[in-house]
Amino acid sequence: MTTPQSGGSDLGQDGDVGLLSPVSASPKVAALTGDRAVLAAILRVEAGWAQVLEDASLAPAGSAAVVADAADVGRYDLAGIAVRAQGGANPVIPLLADLRDQVRSLDTAGVGAAKAVHTSLTSQDVLDSALMLLAAGAVRELLAEVRRATSALAALVEGHQDTLCVGRSLTQHSLPFSFGLKAAQWFSGLAAAAHRLESLEFPVQTGGAAGTMAAGTVLTADSGLSPFDLSDRLAARLELAPVPAPWHTNRLAVTALGDALAAVTDAAGKIAADVLFLARPEVAELAEPRAAGRGGSSAMPQKQNPVLSVLVRSTALQAPALAAQLHLAAATFNDERADGAWHSEWPALRSLLRLSLGAAGQLRELAEGLQVFPTAMRRNLDLSGPLLLSEAVSAAVGPLLGADGRRRLQDVVDQTLAVPAAEQPGTYRKLLRAAVPAEMLSDERIEELLDPANYLGQAAEISRRILAAWPDFALSPAQPTQESEPDNPTKENGATRG
């Protein structure tokens, strides 16, 4: 391997390693989306194009092998190229100069391999195609992580269909709920977002200097081929999607990708927000999986912070603005090459890829190890007492009392709310018994109506239908979820975790 091209920069030592973005600070995320990965993708596009030209007899025989050899990312000074990119406003221009130098140096047979480098392309062709390559690889890994998360969520659905908890509306107790249905709704959002991401195409770009393929038309004039043929062949070689036309200023591919990534972080953020609330010590219905060195505090040794959910939620708070940046760029892509809008896409798109990748990994670990405490769920459900079933009572008993039946039952609720919480269960039963004659409503029927397990509506069927709608995302998880009720650190009073 030859010595990397010099750029006179120390950015390699002082560059961004994710210190202020811990959710995406991982070797995997760096390998898939870091500057080295970007450079490798650019070089892969250039090498692929050289092979397409040689296969079409539009470049000297043997040139593609030389370009492929020169396309080793280790030959290049990454930090130097980054600094020199300021001279042309994109990294392809300085890289091309170095690539051509490498090709000439390696072309010991004198085949003229430099003629195969970048011929008829423009910088946007290469960088757009390279970013699609980068995104395709990142999305594959993202979907693998998401599938493990949805599999774990599906197991929670199936294991907790009969686990009662309380539903909450505008922060208040609303109706009896099942934890299985809560997990099913988590699953539904994540599976739908992943399916949207899975259905995307990553298009190739070969429009030439102004998107007319003019140089490609001249290049292919006597070959029996068209520039569209070359574009399709490059797409096949890079495993990108062929396109009917260049898309230099039509950025739907980019905005669709950004929207799909943001949808994944939206779904993940919803799960994280729920876990953060339900893991509060005063609620104590859930707990994150424990791991050595995770969740500690710099000042309070007793704390066990739900940091997986914190990190996931942080991505959900950042992603929408990044997706909006892509739309802003697309809406202001002036002329045939945008003067700044295109450039603003790159960091926004890569940040979305990094954040969503990081969030997917954290969410997968959270879902696979989530601890569920059914006794605490039932304890919290019982806090509202029989008032939680007042809708069920009104629907069943109101018609028996005539035209003012619902008003009379509302009076029962209002009078019950006027007494201290500890007295409300007995008060409600007493007032309800007084309001409805025994011949209309037996004591046994009252207790049936006040059993939360009898007022779950179609919760089980909704959960079943959700899993059936996304069967590919409901496979058995690789690791079992943790059921640790006997070891619940809250000891049923929710006083110690947080």
Side-chain angles (χ1 to χ4, degrees), residues 145-421:
E145 293 279 27
V146 167
R147 282 184 177 280
R148 289 184 62 180
T150 56
S151 294
L153 293 175
L156 286 173
V157 175
E158 293 169 348
H160 289 281
Q161 290 286 16
D162 298 324
T163 299
L164 288 174
C165 63
V166 65
R168 296 173 174 91
S169 173
L170 300 179
T171 76
Q172 304 300 296
H173 287 195
S174 57
L175 291 175
F177 212 73
S178 76
F179 182 67
L181 180 55
K182 181 177 285 290
Q185 293 293 1
W186 292 348
F187 170 91
S188 178
L190 192 58
H195 176 73
R196 179 179 177 183
L197 189 60
E198 196 174 45
S199 66
L200 291 179
E201 290 189 333
F202 301 90
V204 75
Q205 179 82 279
T206 58
T212 63
M213 294 181 157
T217 301
V218 173
L219 178 67
T220 58
D222 300 319
S223 68
L225 298 170
S226 75
F228 299 103
D229 297 321
L230 301 185
S231 179
D232 291 346
R233 292 182 182 187
L234 180 63
R237 176 162 292 278
L238 299 178
E239 297 183 298
L240 295 176
V243 292
W247 48 280
H248 283 173
T249 56
N250 179 358
R251 310 309 288 176
L252 183 60
V254 178
T255 56
L257 174 58
D259 289 344
L261 293 169
V264 171
T265 64
D266 289 348
K270 160 59 178 171
I271 297 170
D274 281 351
V275 172
L276 286 167
F277 171 74
L278 296 172
R280 288 173 179 264
E282 61 270 25
V283 181
E285 296 181 10
L286 300 176
E288 290 194 349
R290 293 196 173 192
R294 185 169 66 204
S297 165
S298 66
M300 292 165 282
Q302 85 282 3
K303 292 191 74 181
Q304 185 65 36
N305 296 315
V307 294
L308 294 175
S309 298
V310 167
L311 292 175
V312 170
R313 185 167 185 264
S314 76
T315 68
L317 295 173
Q318 296 174 73
L322 294 167
Q325 174 60 49
L326 297 178
H327 283 282
L328 178 61
T332 57
F333 238 78
N334 59 308
D335 301 326
E336 280 61 59
R337 182 75 54 79
D339 52 1
W342 177 49
H343 307 74
S344 72
E345 280 183 351
W346 315 334
L349 179 59
R350 184 166 68 165
S351 292
L352 270 172
L353 289 168
R354 284 178 163 175
L355 289 172
S356 56
L357 266 172
Q362 305 284 342
L363 181 65
R364 183 263 305 160
E365 186 175 355
L366 173 64
E368 289 181 343
L370 189 67
Q371 299 177 75
V372 181
F373 304 123
T375 303
M377 290 180 176
R378 182 59 194 243
R379 179 200 66 212
N380 293 334
L381 172 68
D382 290 341
L383 289 175
S384 290
L387 285 176
L388 194 69
L389 281 301
S390 58
E391 180 186 83
V393 171
S394 179
V397 179
L400 301 178
L401 300 177
D404 66 341
R406 292 187 183 275
R407 180 192 60 76
R408 290 166 62 185
L409 292 173
Q410 184 62 50
D411 288 343
V412 170
V413 171
D414 293 341
Q415 293 176 53
T416 301
L417 289 171
V419 305

Side-chain angles (χ1 to χ4, degrees), residues 439-461:
E439 60 269 21
M440 290 185 179
L441 189 70
S442 67
D443 290 343
E444 292 77 9
R445 178 57 177 154
I446 288 177
E447 293 308 312
E448 287 179 5
L449 290 172
L450 298 183
D451 183 349
N454 293 331
Y455 201 63
L456 290 174
Q458 296 295 318
E461 175 62 11

Side-chain angles (χ1 to χ4, degrees), residues 5-50:
Q5 297 287 322
S6 174
S9 171
D10 294 327
L11 289 179
Q13 294 180 348
D14 299 330
D16 181 6
V17 293
L19 192 63
L20 297 182
S21 184
V23 70
S24 56
S26 79
K28 179 186 293 184
V29 174
L32 289 166
T33 64
D35 284 345
R36 185 179 176 88
V38 174
L39 190 68
I42 294 172
L43 289 167
R44 187 179 167 195
V45 173
E46 292 287 2
W49 185 247

